[in-house]
Amino acid sequence: MNHFLDIHTTEKAALRNMLDSAQSMKDARQGRTKAAPDNEQPLAGHMVALIFEKPSTRTRVSFDVGARQMGAETMVLSGKDMQLGHGETIADTARVLSRYVDLIMIRTFDEDVLKEMSEYADVPVINGLTDRTHPCQVMADVMTYEEHRGPIAGIKATWCGDGNNVCASVMHAAAQFGFDFTFTGPMQLDPEPEWQKLVRDAGQSFKVERDADKAVDGCDLIFADTWVSMHDAQSARERRHNMLRPYQVNDALMAKAKDDALFMHCLPAHREEEVTSSVMDGPNSVVFDEAENRLHAQKAIMRWCLGV
Ligand code: CP
């Protein structure tokens, strides 16, 4: 069963094939090649369930559109409106859904929910974000880097701010695709030691540098994300803003990176907080390409899950 749960738990060759497939479907759709693989509607006759226990714009729309472009039908389910939100076990929900649908994408809080869903489902399960990781986002990010700059292997990436779930998946990508990773942010928000070890064990450099200017010096790619994630208590907002303010990505910080360094953000962004509008809308920013590539990357992920 091809579940897509995380980047570090998926074979490198499969990840590379997914990115190639995503790019070829994007090229075909945009008329850059004659072949149009997704016109064959490889998911015709399939039903895809998209479960959201948290809000979403990009994940919800890109999965829905992507599945439909490939001929599938979709149902978008709100976790709170399902029995899942009223005490039915995850295992029972997984068993029941497997009798109706061919593929499940779930966005949830605790990664144990995702794991239990994948353990008991008889159909593939895709991680559409948990509090701990966001692999679909980062597959789109790797695709975006390579579209703009060529192979991501060997580059230096710097994460500015909170070592959150997106940061974790970038670190998984560093290990699997072979690039160096520097984290700059307050000590309280360091990425998990398990992910630090994963990057180092893969033979890549992992560094923590508290000085943001030094952290981005000469790097190829800068990431930022919101200072208060969906799973963070809103009561912590002021404290987090105070801690994270020195890590804002602004023009002065971008100027320390390579001239052609790219800026990425998974969105939604809080302009003038973690990133200034001058950077978001500037020449190094590829944030809307990342958003578009969610569509293409997830189409490839769905095809891999279903083996079509
Ligand atoms: N980046 C991302 O996952 O966006 P949504 O929360 O809007 O799905």
Side-chain angles (χ1 to χ4, degrees):
M1 181 87 69
N2 281 342
H3 298 302
F4 185 72
L5 302 184
D6 272 313
I7 289 175
H8 66 297
T9 54
T10 304
E11 298 261 340
K12 283 182 194 176
L15 295 171
R16 179 48 65 192
N17 286 342
M18 284 182 232
L19 291 183
D20 291 347
S21 161
Q23 190 62 56
S24 113
M25 283 188 281
K26 180 174 181 178
D27 288 348
R29 196 154 191 93
Q30 295 183 340
R32 289 196 288 259
T33 59
K34 277 190 182 159
D38 63 334
N39 284 356
E40 294 164 12
Q41 304 233 305
L43 265 60
H46 290 81
M47 178 61 77
V48 179
L50 306 171
I51 304 172
F52 289 90
E53 296 200 280
K54 293 183 179 189
S56 168
T57 297
R58 278 144 290 269
T59 306
R60 176 178 170 148
V61 177
S62 57
F63 264 107
D64 200 346
V65 170
R68 289 171 194 238
Q69 283 180 357
M70 296 192 293
E73 292 189 65
T74 60
M75 56 176 67
V76 179
L77 303 162
S78 157
K80 70 177 174 356
D81 295 334
M82 300 170 69
Q83 298 295 1
L84 184 64
H86 303 278
E88 184 168 31
T89 67
I90 307 301
D92 287 349
T93 304
R95 290 180 180 115
V96 170
L97 287 180
S98 299
R99 304 290 177 107
Y100 303 136
V101 307
D102 304 290
L103 180 61
I104 299 169
M105 191 288 311
I106 180 164
R107 165 169 289 197
T108 187
F109 295 88
D110 190 333
E111 95 173 342
D112 286 346
V113 171
L114 172 78
K115 285 184 178 163
E116 194 172 340
M117 184 72 81
S118 64
E119 197 175 324
Y120 289 95
D122 295 322
V123 299
V125 174
I126 297 174
N127 176 359
L129 177 145
T130 70
D131 291 352
R132 203 166 178 221
T133 62
H134 196 1
C136 291
Q137 176 66 51
V138 176
M139 288 295 282
D141 294 350
V142 174
M143 178 180 173
T144 305
Y145 185 87
E146 295 197 332
E147 262 191 315
H148 283 268
R149 296 284 183 264
I152 200 165
I155 72 149
K156 294 183 191 312
T158 300
W159 181 277
C160 298
D162 176 13
N164 65 9
N165 49 359
V166 183
C167 176
S169 289
V170 175
M171 292 173 73
H172 301 165
Q176 294 286 63
F177 290 100
F179 57 90
D180 292 340
F181 184 92
T182 298
F183 172 80
T184 187
M187 189 183 297
Q188 298 91 321
L189 301 178
D190 276 352
E192 291 181 40
E194 185 179 340
W195 308 146
Q196 300 182 24
K197 182 173 179 323
L198 185 89
V199 176
R200 289 189 175 121
D201 286 353
Q204 299 305 134
S205 161
F206 170 82
K207 289 185 201 150
V208 174
E209 170 54 68
R210 301 288 170 214
D211 181 327
D213 285 353
K214 287 184 190 160
V216 303
D217 186 24
C219 80
D220 302 281
L221 173 59
I222 296 180
F223 289 93
D225 197 0
T226 52
W227 288 344
V228 185
S229 293
M230 282 185 275
H231 55 270
D232 293 319
Q234 288 304 312
S235 56
R237 188 180 158 79
E238 193 176 336
R239 186 175 56 82
R240 291 176 72 91
H241 275 227
N242 289 337
M243 276 195 294
L244 286 159
R245 204 160 281 121
Y247 302 98
Q248 181 192 65
V249 181
N250 49 38
D251 289 326
L253 194 68
M254 280 304 296
K256 307 275 185 207
K258 283 186 180 163
D259 288 347
D260 66 347
L262 295 181
F263 172 74
M264 291 195 183
H265 191 305
C266 64
L267 306 179
H270 293 81
R271 288 168 179 260
E272 318 316 331
E273 293 182 8
E274 71 273 8
V275 58
T276 59
S277 288
S278 57
V279 171
M280 271 273 289
D281 302 327
N284 300 72
S285 171
V286 288
V287 299
F288 299 110
D289 293 335
E290 291 174 79
E292 177 184 341
N293 284 339
R294 293 291 303 275
L295 170 69
H296 308 295
Q298 289 160 188
K299 284 168 73 175
I301 291 167
M302 287 189 272
R303 291 186 75 163
W304 175 78
C305 285
L306 291 166
V308 293

